[in-house]
Amino acid sequence: MALTLDGLPTDILIRVFEELDVYDIRRCSLTGRVFHETIPDNLILQYRLELAIAGLEDRSTDCGLSVAERLAQVKAMEEGWANLSFRQKFKVTFPGPGPTWNLYGGVLVRECASDMASGLSFIQLPYAVRGTPVHMWQIDIQVNILYYAINPAQDLAVLIGWPVTHDEQRHTVGIHLRTMSTGAHHPCASDPVLACVLDLDDPQDHFVIELMGDFLALLHYSPEDSLGDVLFIWDWKTGQLLIKLRLWPPA
């Protein structure tokens, strides 16, 4: 009789599941009784699934906690958000007036500018589950920042610098890939500055940046309705432009 996948020993099944991404693990858990019972019983697989559900990444190499302890912390965090049960209260003193603060993954950030260049100021909010204290720091970027976004899970700051080059109808802006921690070029980026060509007379400040894993998406809103909006998607680690799509307005 032929051996089916769900007939494999549990330890071999677990080894197979460990090679899958979280989306395929989730699909497998819905395909049959054996898989449905095997996956929830494995702490490593459950930890990976809970991280994905919470939108988190585990970048620790040796945090001193077991998988079971880390899983319990993720579940406690999700329960806290679901019930709005706060484990602690604290006060943060914001340094001086300035632009609006934005919140990304537990990190407050805002632009700080001088006559010569721009930078970013950060406040890492305390995180009781991870034992993270309040931390404040600033990075200096030798470019004029037009727009920015950050991803604390990847220590990534994406900054649109303006301008790089331009002619009568086309502008090229630089998309700088830096580390949040030091402002240096991000070590995972093969090209630290991505070139974004805009076929417009005046780009102005009409950008939206989204970061998801290796993908960087930039939506440029046209100041002229007749020109439409433009969507760019890069693999920011390789520097490859994957998509450039003009989104024409409805007639």
Side-chain angles (χ1 to χ4, degrees), residues 231-250:
L231 173 67
F232 302 85
I233 299 179
W234 289 269
D235 181 323
W236 67 267
K237 291 184 178 179
T238 66
Q240 181 182 4
L241 177 62
L242 305 174
I243 293 176
K244 179 180 179 181
L245 179 64
R246 187 174 299 280
L247 309 174
W248 294 102

Side-chain angles (χ1 to χ4, degrees), residues 8 11 16 26-27 34 36 48 67 85 89 106 118 141 143 146-147 156 161 182-183 186 208 215-216:
L8 293 173
D11 56 342
V16 171
R26 176 59 178 164
R27 293 188 187 101
V34 174
H36 183 71
R48 289 179 59 191
V67 174
S85 56
K89 295 182 180 180
S118 298
I141 308 294
V143 295
L146 182 63
Y147 196 82
L156 175 63
T182 67
H186 201 289
V208 174
F215 300 109
L216 186 163

Side-chain angles (χ1 to χ4, degrees), residues 104-121:
Y104 296 84
V107 178
L108 286 165
V109 57
R110 76 174 180 183
E111 182 183 352
C112 52
S114 66
D115 294 335
M116 300 299 295
S118 298
L120 294 177
S121 293

Side-chain angles (χ1 to χ4, degrees), residues 13-31:
L13 272 179
I14 294 299
R15 186 68 185 88
V16 171
F17 291 145
E18 287 177 349
E19 296 298 318
L20 302 179
D21 61 35
V22 291
Y23 304 103
D24 288 334
I25 293 173
R26 176 59 178 164
R27 293 188 187 101
C28 287
S29 70
L30 301 175
T31 58

Side-chain angles (χ1 to χ4, degrees), residues 3-80:
L3 181 63
T4 60
L5 185 60
D6 58 2
L8 293 173
T10 301
D11 56 342
I12 296 179
L13 272 179
I14 294 299
R15 186 68 185 88
V16 171
F17 291 145
E18 287 177 349
E19 296 298 318
L20 302 179
D21 61 35
V22 291
Y23 304 103
D24 288 334
I25 293 173
R26 176 59 178 164
R27 293 188 187 101
C28 287
S29 70
L30 301 175
T31 58
R33 180 182 59 82
V34 174
F35 294 170
H36 183 71
E37 294 176 353
T38 301
I39 292 174
D41 288 340
N42 183 268
L43 288 176
I44 295 177
L45 297 179
Q46 276 301 295
Y47 179 57
R48 289 179 59 191
L49 287 171
E50 290 293 337
L51 280 177
I53 292 171
L56 300 174
E57 297 180 24
D58 189 344
R59 298 190 297 124
S60 62
T61 55
D62 184 14
C63 65
L65 299 177
S66 67
V67 174
E69 291 171 324
R70 282 179 280 174
L71 176 60
Q73 288 188 346
V74 174
K75 289 184 175 180
M77 184 198 71
E78 286 297 285
E79 182 179 354

Side-chain angles (χ1 to χ4, degrees), residues 132-207:
T132 304
V134 173
H135 177 48
M136 303 174 65
W137 76 101
Q138 181 175 315
I139 60 174
D140 295 321
I141 308 294
Q142 298 304 311
V143 295
N144 293 315
I145 300 174
L146 182 63
Y147 196 82
Y148 68 87
I150 64 172
N151 184 336
Q154 301 189 82
D155 190 26
L156 175 63
V158 177
L159 309 110
I160 300 178
W162 169 252
V164 176
T165 61
H166 61 88
D167 55 33
E168 292 183 355
Q169 293 185 332
R170 309 183 79 188
H171 294 266
T172 301
V173 297
I175 301 176
H176 300 258
L177 306 172
R178 304 294 185 94
T179 62
M180 290 172 49
S181 52
T182 67
H185 296 311
H186 201 289
C188 293
S190 58
D191 188 348
V193 182
L194 305 177
C196 179
V197 180
L198 303 172
D199 301 321
L200 301 170
D201 291 335
D202 184 5
Q204 300 184 23
D205 188 1
H206 296 277
F207 293 100

Side-chain angles (χ1 to χ4, degrees), residues 147 206-210 217-221:
Y147 196 82
H206 296 277
F207 293 100
V208 174
I209 298 175
E210 292 292 339
L218 183 148
L219 179 64
H220 181 266
Y221 287 92

